[in-house]
């Protein structure tokens, strides 16, 4: 698939902009702060309904306005689909497909798929677990859009249960007695939705593992072995040792659900005392290792970059080929599902070797969008069309 046209209204720095695009490689070139990342961020938003730079939508809307619109014409197998997403911070976003009536934003998921490489990716290796959870969840949503519903149900349940624990904590302190029956209901809901999230993430990590290890070899000079493990908060809650997970990889939803309930049972007084949900997928992590050492805190800067690139390249492989063993994710894609590759400012950050390897690996993709401050930052294998971005204007240079 590829994006044939992008149109923005009041998105970031753009009051209005039209950007026609071709399949193949396009470099967006212009000095700092001119709006290159804003363009590719908008394309990523259509695919994931989130930004790679900010956790909430407020910054995406042009200052002084209260609504942004992103329109993208997505072509797949010669058929064009027009996707229109309206971003209104503080309200539910709306979306339209092919000019139809406005519906839930979530309904556009799956029409466009992207893999975005950006300097922010380094935080996948060096940063906190929430960035890694978001990486897994964003990829899951692109692989199976219906998981978006499960994830938002989980977030809602988590908010409600946390609020209830907080009031139970306050009631306990005031010795007025907490309403524990309602808590039982929310325990069950959390276990039920949480188990689906855990099982989906575990399957994803299993599918990513060999692809990420291979990609790591390709971008780093072949030193070290990249390992990926899903670390469940159940392990700590149920007192499991590191090498003995509380739920075996591949365990079904019912097993995980039962263990989540068991953990909440054990943790109840602690949770009430602290007023927070101590177990569930919101506390899990994707543990990354190089050889025997954790990547976080141990890997060098260059190695960390290779790990981040490997995670994105593995995502690209999964979104292109699906999961061979189970086949479940690839089944409903149909042909021409290869994601659009976006490389935002990454080449300036990489040494020559990694830069060349990455360029070679991504060059054959159906559509590649690269941003760079100067044309020299775009490696040779990615010489293609060029769009100059300057002061909110975009112009085709070749
Ligand atoms: N919500 C917003 N409203 C108005 N302007 C915004 C908004 N968000 C960002 N900007 C402006 O957009 C510009 C940044 O654009 P962008 O990040 O796309 O630059 P860039 O061309 O990628 O630069 P660099 O080469 O430094 O990465 C900044 O000048 C910033 O002030
Ligand atoms: Mg930029």
């Amino acid at each position: 698939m590829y994006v044939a046209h992008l149109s923005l209204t009041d998105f970031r720095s753009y009051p209005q902009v039209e950007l026609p695009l071709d399949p193949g490689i396009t470099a967006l070139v212009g000095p700092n702060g001119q709006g290159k990342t804003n363009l590719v961020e908008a394309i990523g938003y259509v695919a994931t309904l989130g930004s790679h730079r900010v956790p909430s939508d407020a910054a995406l809307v042009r200052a002084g306005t209260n609504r942004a619109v992103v329109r993208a014409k997505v072509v797949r197998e010669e058929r064009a689909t027009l996707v229109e997403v309206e971003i209104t911070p503080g309200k539910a976003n709306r979306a339209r497909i092919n000019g139809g009536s406005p519906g839930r934003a979530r309904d556009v998921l799956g029409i466009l798929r992207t893999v975005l490489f950006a300097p922010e990716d380094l935080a996948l290796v060096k940063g906190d677990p929430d960035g890694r959870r978001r990486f897994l969840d964003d990829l899951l949503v692109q692989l199976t859009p219906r998981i978006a519903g499960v994830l938002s149900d989980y977030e809602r349940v988590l908010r409600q249960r946390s609020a209830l624990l907080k009031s139970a904590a306050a009631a306990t302190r005031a010795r007025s007695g907490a309403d524990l029956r309602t808590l039982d209901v929310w325990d069950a809901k959390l276990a039920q939705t949480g188990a689906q999230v855990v099982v989906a993430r575990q399957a994803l990590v299993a599918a990513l593992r060999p692809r990420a290890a291979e990609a790591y070899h390709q971008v780093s000079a072949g030193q070290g072995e990249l390992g990926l493990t899903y670390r469940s908060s159940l392990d700590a809650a149920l007192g499991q040792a590191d090498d003995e997970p509380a739920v075996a990889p591949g365990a079904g939803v019912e097993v995980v659900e039962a263990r989540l309930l068991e953990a909440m049972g054990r943790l109840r007084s602690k949770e009430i005392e602290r007023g927070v949900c101590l177990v569930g997928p919101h506390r899990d992590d994707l543990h990354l290792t190089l050889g025997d050492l954790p990547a976080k805190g141990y890997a060098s800067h260059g190695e960390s970059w290779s790990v981040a690139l490997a995670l994105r390249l593995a995502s690209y492989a999964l979104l292109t080929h699906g999961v061979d063993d189970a086949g479940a994710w690839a089944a409903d894609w149909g042909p021409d599902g290869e994601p659009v590759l976006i490389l935002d400012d990454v080449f300036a950050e990489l040494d020559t070797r990694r830069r060349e390897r990455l360029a070679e690996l991504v060059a054959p993709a159906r559509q590649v969008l690269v941003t760079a401050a100067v044309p020299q930052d775009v490696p040779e294998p990615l010489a293609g069309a060029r769009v100059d971005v300057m002061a909110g204007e975009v112009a085709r240079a070749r």
Side-chain angles (χ1 to χ4, degrees):
M1 63 177 68
Y2 67 94
V3 177
H5 194 97
L6 176 74
S7 162
L8 304 179
T9 306
D10 291 331
F11 184 89
R12 291 281 194 186
S13 53
Y14 293 100
Q16 180 68 41
V17 72
E18 304 292 331
L19 174 66
L21 290 163
D22 287 324
I25 300 162
T26 302
L28 304 166
V29 180
N32 297 140
Q34 301 301 307
K36 305 179 297 291
T37 299
N38 294 348
L39 294 169
V40 292
E41 182 181 38
I43 293 177
Y45 194 92
V46 171
T48 62
L49 296 179
S51 152
H52 69 285
R53 291 198 284 190
V54 286
S56 84
D57 287 348
L60 304 181
V61 175
R62 192 165 68 90
T65 66
N66 50 27
R67 187 192 74 141
V69 182
V70 180
R71 287 179 208 86
K73 187 170 153 192
V74 181
V75 178
R76 180 166 179 180
E77 277 198 289
E78 315 299 320
R79 278 217 351 257
T81 306
L82 186 69
V83 184
E84 198 174 320
V85 186
E86 202 180 283
I87 307 168
T88 320
K91 282 197 200 156
N93 291 346
R94 308 284 286 163
R96 298 201 303 163
I97 299 167
N98 289 329
S101 49
R104 285 185 317 187
R106 216 198 276 164
D107 295 340
V108 308
L109 291 170
I111 296 176
L112 174 64
R113 300 209 307 244
T114 59
V115 174
L116 197 152
F117 296 72
E120 286 81 1
D121 290 348
L122 210 47
L124 286 177
V125 185
K126 299 189 173 202
D128 294 333
D130 64 325
R132 287 181 289 277
R133 288 192 292 265
R134 208 169 332 117
F135 162 74
L136 292 177
D137 293 345
D138 279 352
L139 185 54
L140 272 179
V141 164
Q142 295 215 62
L143 285 161
T144 32
R146 66 182 162 70
I147 197 86
V150 178
L151 288 166
S152 77
D153 284 350
Y154 182 74
E155 264 162 38
R156 187 176 44 82
V157 170
L158 183 64
R159 269 198 309 276
Q160 308 244 24
R161 188 172 182 274
S162 303
L164 201 60
L165 284 171
K166 269 197 195 77
S167 62
T172 310
R173 276 195 297 276
R175 295 180 197 285
S176 59
D179 176 8
L180 298 179
R181 265 169 321 173
T182 328
L183 196 53
D184 285 340
V185 176
W186 288 101
D187 284 9
K189 289 188 185 181
L190 189 128
Q192 200 186 14
T193 48
Q196 293 179 62
V197 176
V198 172
V199 166
R201 286 190 193 158
Q202 277 181 331
L204 176 62
V205 172
L208 275 173
R209 189 176 296 123
R211 290 165 175 88
E214 190 194 331
Y216 184 78
H217 271 288
Q218 289 171 326
V219 287
S220 71
Q223 326 125 339
E225 200 67 39
L226 171 61
L228 276 64
T229 319
Y230 189 73
R231 279 269 173 89
S232 166
S233 49
L234 277 169
D235 296 345
L238 297 175
Q240 302 293 127
D242 259 8
D243 47 357
E244 216 181 305
V247 281
V253 174
E254 296 79 19
V255 175
V256 181
E257 187 177 339
R259 301 238 68 187
L260 279 168
L261 276 174
E262 185 188 340
M264 282 183 275
R266 284 204 207 173
L267 289 169
R268 180 163 276 196
S269 56
K270 223 188 220 174
E271 286 192 310
I272 291 177
E273 194 183 305
R274 295 180 46 187
V276 281
C277 295
L278 292 173
V279 68
H282 64 291
R283 291 235 162 188
D284 296 355
D285 196 1
L286 169 65
H287 187 60
L288 303 168
T289 48
L290 281 181
D292 294 331
L293 295 174
K296 183 175 172 168
Y298 290 84
S300 73
H301 191 69
E303 286 170 339
S304 300
W305 255 116
S306 295
V307 173
L309 294 176
L311 291 175
R312 293 298 178 196
L313 287 167
S315 309
Y316 169 48
L318 262 193
L319 285 165
T320 304
H321 304 296
V323 186
D324 335 299
D325 6 9
W329 283 326
D332 52 359
W333 291 349
D336 197 15
E338 183 177 350
V340 173
L341 287 186
I342 300 174
L343 296 105
D344 182 27
D345 264 333
V346 286
F347 292 111
E349 305 254 350
L350 302 177
D351 60 29
T352 318
R353 197 201 131 72
R354 286 183 182 81
R355 190 192 267 240
E356 279 168 8
R357 293 299 292 134
L358 179 63
E360 281 164 25
L361 289 168
V362 301
R366 182 95 159 100
Q367 187 174 46
V368 186
L369 306 173
V370 188
T371 72
V374 287
Q376 296 84 297
D377 276 348
V378 183
E380 182 55 32
L382 294 178
R386 196 176 107 197
V387 171
D388 287 332
V389 182
M390 189 66 144
E393 300 281 331
V394 299
R396 223 181 163 99
R398 67 162 189 262

